[in-house]
Amino acid sequence: MTNKLIRVVAATVTCLSAGASVAIAQEAPKPAGSALPEVEVIQKQAPKPAAKVAPKPKPVAKKPPAPTPVAAPAPEPVADPGPALQNSAYGATNSVGAQQRALRSVTSPVNSTSIVPQNLEQFSAAATIVNAEALAQRQPRNINEVFTRVPGVIVLNDDASGHNGGLGLRGAPPRRSRKLLVTEDGHTVNLALWLDPSVHFFAPADRVESVEVLRGTIITQGPNNNYGVINVRNISPFGPNETVISSAIGFTQSKAGFFDPEGNGDPDDFVRGNSEIDLSAKWHVHTRQSVDNVGIVFSYTGENVQGAWDTERLRFHDFYGALGFKGSSSDLTITATHTRQRDNYDEQNFLGDFEGEVDAAGISAEEAAEQFAEQIRGGAEQAFFNVAHCKTCFAPAAGLNTYVGEIYRGQAVHNAYLDDDTTIMTRFYAGLHRRDRYQLLDYDSNPSGIPGDGPVQEDNSVLFLEDTLFGRLRTFRHVGGEVRGEWADRPFLAGMTQTLQAGIRYEYQDLTNRSILGREDEILVNGAEDGVTIFDRELSANSVSAFLQTNVKVASDFNVVPGVRFEWFDIKRTNHVTAEEESDAEEGEVDDCQDAFGVDECLELGGLNFSPNPAQESFSSFNALPGISFAYTGLKRTTIFGGYNRGLTTAVLRNEQFPSEDEIGDNFSLGLRSTAIKGLDFEVAGFHQRIKNFQYADNFGDATDRSFGRADRVEISGVELAGRLNSHPFTGGPFNVFAEGNYSYTRGIFKADDDADIVGNYIPEVPVHLAALTLGVEKRTGWRWDASMTWTYRGALFTDDENTPYGVYEVECELDGDEYDCEADEPGEDGRVPDVWLLSARFNMDIGNTGASIFVAGDNLLDKLYITDREDGLKPGQGRTVWTGFKYKF
């Protein structure tokens, strides 16, 4: 594949070199005698005017100072010309050179907040930027809605607020965004990148000014970079003064449903729910003010949102602040975030257990199980669609299940501009994320709230009563620092020039992971830590990451970027109480229940080890990850890009065997983006990935935790298409009619594994097809407004490695006289998730020049009842939701 790609690239470059060349726009040269310093030139490009000073010598020599005119003294330069970029990370007067490279470049900029240049025209990888204007037009209610119109992004709407992480790219399963590097202003959002890279927090869309999606692997970002990188950018303190207040109210349609607990179809036995319209609310305020060389930002966002189940209620308070200092040759930005989540939310969904009888005449128990499985095939799905959004129909006490998030994050970033071509960025950062979850072990139970008997510990098991909650208590901490440098326009071989980039980062992380069982009927709430511990493990990691790459300008329209990334880590683990195997709670023996509680029925959780070897386990790893990319711009307003990069995906090590194998990918890509056709912007990118030691979610245990499997090798191939057609270039005037669409094809297959049964199957949780089409019209003069509607398509997917078509995963039968009593264990857990089309629409209008605007938006307007996921059971997607609100900017 590598040789084939190189031959294709070489042939393409040879053919295109003979084609049209594009003139690179640059600022007109200043007249000779101008006293403005050279740093004020907006974009330096060859050839330089003859009236300028002599050409720049080799990097070892300093630039000669600009000559001072004698005849006509020039006016004093403006103290601060202002940033040239939208939401700029740069504040210093002498940052113009760095700003221009961040605006348009072959490689990622070296600054604190961006992972791609703002203008992707020359960029050497597939990427999408959703800027402030696009965000204002789309009016996203949560950050997940931003990504539905980004090519290649799989969106799993696990929660109505989009805070719990449900994004995938290029074959990466979207559950908790575990396989992506997710950052906020360059600061990692993944809980503990080397220990558990899950995402349980996304910034609210109200304080985000742009979103950057990098599809594929590049050298400057990592680890967790096999599939892509997502970065959200907050409001910068280096911008115009403004104060914004906004508020919105939402109406969610929750469909009525019923549950048949006996499974006999008798309507008299049904547990029924009501069809309701539930209210949601959001509110936001932020201000950005500057005095002289100091800028400050404060933002607060709150929300109280209805979820997909009738028991779900999501509450969120987010505080963000930034302080910026700018001088002539450096700037400093300090940011801090505190976020609180208090949700009625859990990961238990509809499992749809079945019981029944099969005639025992002449058949074995195994044959009876096959017959029963055939009888109830598709029954879990049918029962789910009967239940609709009514979780209280089958889990009456599910409203007691809660999720608690407490997040503190901060960073300080200093940019030093040694000269117009040299930038040194230094960053220090830290974070703490506590995420505790309390929920029922058995969703049929209904605790009274009056604490009773506590769990009883046996040798390797715990006995407890049905009406018991458990708590999963996790705290993640990290602290780190990094230095990055850029040395632009340095001489290379044979008259060519290069731009060097290098960086090194150290980070420490730790994780405490403990699960407890409360007493019978006790309602566990935020802060509850007492109880019988059924799992207790601590992990820590020290890591060093470094990279070196150079952007070589081989010709005026051809750049090649070779480089290498290094990843070293050392991980330690201490076990206090462990689950030797993932196991669900089962019915306890009658004698054991009588001895423990004086009753005949109780539950037992086995496979526990209360006295593991307390000695610390550890392992370390080192990987050198080379790569090379290119960008050819020899066609009119068109870039051909691609390359090869080796990447590393970190593992979830909570329950992984120790030591863990590194997930290494060889990733190839080739693409084209263009604005050459009048009114049309488009990008197409193809990719092929070979991933070794691929980790994927395997199954879920009620009281312990999700377990993960490993496949020896997977291969992922696909293509991503995106484009936008505007009428304004043809018609002129105040109106623009537009069509915007994207389509992604991703085929991820198990290629090699010890379990031959899964070879050739699809990777779990990854749909083959994704698409979105938006049609809209906008008016950008006078009373400005825009309106659009979007159809999104998510293809079908499987949630297990066996690609089970229906939810009949495991059946057991026992002989009882002339019949077998059969039981299907949790058929809602694994199976196929059908494809779905969803319709959304929005309307925004500015009220003259008052600074006020209003909007109306709707999601799932056709009110489809659909399966969004099968994570610990079947879960419905959000019902029809309509939002309306206002924004006032002054």
Side-chain angles (χ1 to χ4, degrees), residues 646-688:
R646 174 164 281 202
L648 168 69
T649 304
T650 56
V652 181
L653 294 178
R654 300 193 306 261
N655 302 315
E656 177 82 349
Q657 292 183 350
F658 225 64
S660 173
E661 299 283 351
D662 291 334
E663 183 174 317
I664 302 294
D666 290 308
N667 309 301
F668 305 85
S669 64
L670 184 65
L672 179 147
R673 73 173 61 89
S674 178
T675 60
I677 302 174
K678 185 177 181 180
L680 176 65
D681 303 342
F682 72 92
E683 179 180 289
V684 55
F687 58 91
H688 178 74

Side-chain angles (χ1 to χ4, degrees), residues 74 86 101 142 148 154 174 209 212 238-239 292 296 377 441 483 502 597 616 648 661 666 732 766 803 844 890:
Q86 244 186 25
R101 290 188 295 276
N142 61 60
T148 58
I154 309 166
E209 284 211 338
E212 302 168 336
F238 304 129
D292 296 327
I296 188 170
R377 184 173 298 277
L441 277 160
V483 178
F597 307 110
Q616 211 170 55
L648 168 69
E661 299 283 351
D666 290 308
V766 179
N803 290 183
N844 314 295
F890 57 93

Side-chain angles (χ1 to χ4, degrees), residues 416-683:
Y417 312 100
L418 306 187
D419 57 46
D420 206 26
D421 296 326
T422 309
T423 303
I424 303 295
M425 186 275 287
T426 306
R427 181 205 317 261
F428 296 98
Y429 58 94
L432 181 148
H433 191 139
R434 178 172 70 90
R435 41 93 55 232
D436 297 342
R437 186 155 62 86
Y438 303 95
Q439 74 178 57
L440 296 162
L441 277 160
D442 185 343
Y443 63 29
D444 291 327
S445 62
N446 196 358
S448 66
I450 303 173
D453 294 332
V456 175
Q457 179 179 327
E458 301 262 324
D459 291 338
N460 291 306
S461 64
V462 169
L463 297 169
F464 56 95
L465 295 170
E466 182 182 73
D467 293 339
T468 299
L469 278 81
F470 82 97
R472 184 171 292 143
L473 316 176
R474 295 182 188 147
T475 299
F476 305 81
R477 300 180 299 177
H478 68 266
V479 62
E482 71 169 322
V483 178
R484 292 184 179 225
E486 180 177 60
W487 297 266
D489 297 330
R490 277 9 188 214
F492 193 60
L493 301 175
M496 295 181 287
T497 61
Q498 64 176 336
T499 295
L500 289 161
Q501 293 180 334
I504 187 168
R505 180 185 71 223
Y506 166 77
E507 185 169 320
Y508 169 82
Q509 306 168 354
D510 63 30
L511 156 64
T512 59
N513 184 17
R514 179 174 173 242
S515 295
I516 61 171
L517 284 175
R519 292 178 287 172
E520 180 195 19
D521 287 323
E522 180 183 9
I523 309 302
L524 299 180
V525 295
N526 180 27
E529 296 184 357
D530 296 332
V532 173
T533 299
I534 57 175
F535 189 88
D536 192 2
R537 175 176 283 164
E538 298 176 15
L539 297 98
S540 64
N542 289 280
S543 66
V544 176
S545 302
F547 73 90
L548 173 66
Q549 74 173 17
T550 182
N551 172 18
V552 180
K553 193 167 188 177
V554 178
S556 61
D557 52 15
F558 185 60
N559 290 63
V560 176
V561 187
V564 63
R565 184 171 187 89
F566 302 98
E567 298 286 2
W568 172 88
F569 62 90
D570 180 75
I571 295 176
K572 294 180 171 59
R573 184 170 80 175
T574 303
N575 300 313
H576 302 291
V577 178
T578 64
E580 294 179 344
E581 58 183 27
E582 295 297 324
S583 56
D584 299 344
E586 299 179 349
E587 291 184 5
E589 298 291 336
V590 174
D591 291 344
D592 294 335
C593 297
Q594 280 285 351
D595 291 343
F597 307 110
V599 298
D600 291 340
E601 295 183 356
C602 67
L603 297 174
E604 181 177 10
L605 183 68
L608 304 178
N609 185 357
F610 292 99
S611 302
N613 184 350
Q616 211 170 55
E617 303 172 289
S618 65
F619 77 96
S620 60
S621 181
F622 173 82
N623 283 285
L625 308 169
I628 185 168
S629 60
F630 74 93
Y632 175 72
T633 56
L635 295 175
K636 181 181 179 182
R637 298 201 308 273
T638 298
T639 301
I640 298 175
F641 58 87
Y644 159 78
N645 284 277
R646 174 164 281 202
L648 168 69
T649 304
T650 56
V652 181
L653 294 178
R654 300 193 306 261
N655 302 315
E656 177 82 349
Q657 292 183 350
F658 225 64
S660 173
E661 299 283 351
D662 291 334
E663 183 174 317
I664 302 294
D666 290 308
N667 309 301
F668 305 85
S669 64
L670 184 65
L672 179 147
R673 73 173 61 89
S674 178
T675 60
I677 302 174
K678 185 177 181 180
L680 176 65
D681 303 342
F682 72 92
E683 179 180 289

Side-chain angles (χ1 to χ4, degrees), residues 298-412:
F298 173 78
S299 168
Y300 163 67
T301 305
E303 61 185 45
N304 190 326
V305 177
Q306 175 62 35
W309 289 118
D310 60 351
T311 56
E312 286 185 359
R313 199 73 190 177
L314 312 170
R315 305 171 187 87
F316 185 82
H317 297 279
D318 178 84
F319 302 87
Y320 166 79
L323 189 61
F325 304 89
K326 51 189 178 182
S328 61
S329 297
S330 67
D331 46 58
L332 172 68
T333 305
I334 301 170
T335 60
T337 304
H338 171 51
T339 303
R340 300 175 70 244
Q341 285 179 262
R342 299 291 187 268
D343 299 339
N344 287 98
Y345 164 87
D346 62 76
E347 295 181 353
Q348 280 184 312
N349 297 302
F350 183 72
L351 295 172
D353 296 345
F354 285 89
E355 296 179 0
E357 293 78 31
V358 174
D359 188 351
I363 63 172
S364 66
E366 291 76 14
E367 291 171 325
E370 291 177 4
Q371 286 189 23
F372 186 69
E374 188 61 34
Q375 289 175 18
I376 64 170
R377 184 173 298 277
E381 289 82 358
Q382 181 59 51
F384 163 79
F385 283 106
N386 291 336
V387 167
H389 296 102
C390 182
K391 192 169 189 175
T392 52
C393 292
F394 66 90
L400 300 174
N401 297 341
T402 57
Y403 171 81
V404 176
E406 202 77 46
I407 305 162
Y408 298 88
R409 294 165 52 82
Q411 68 173 347

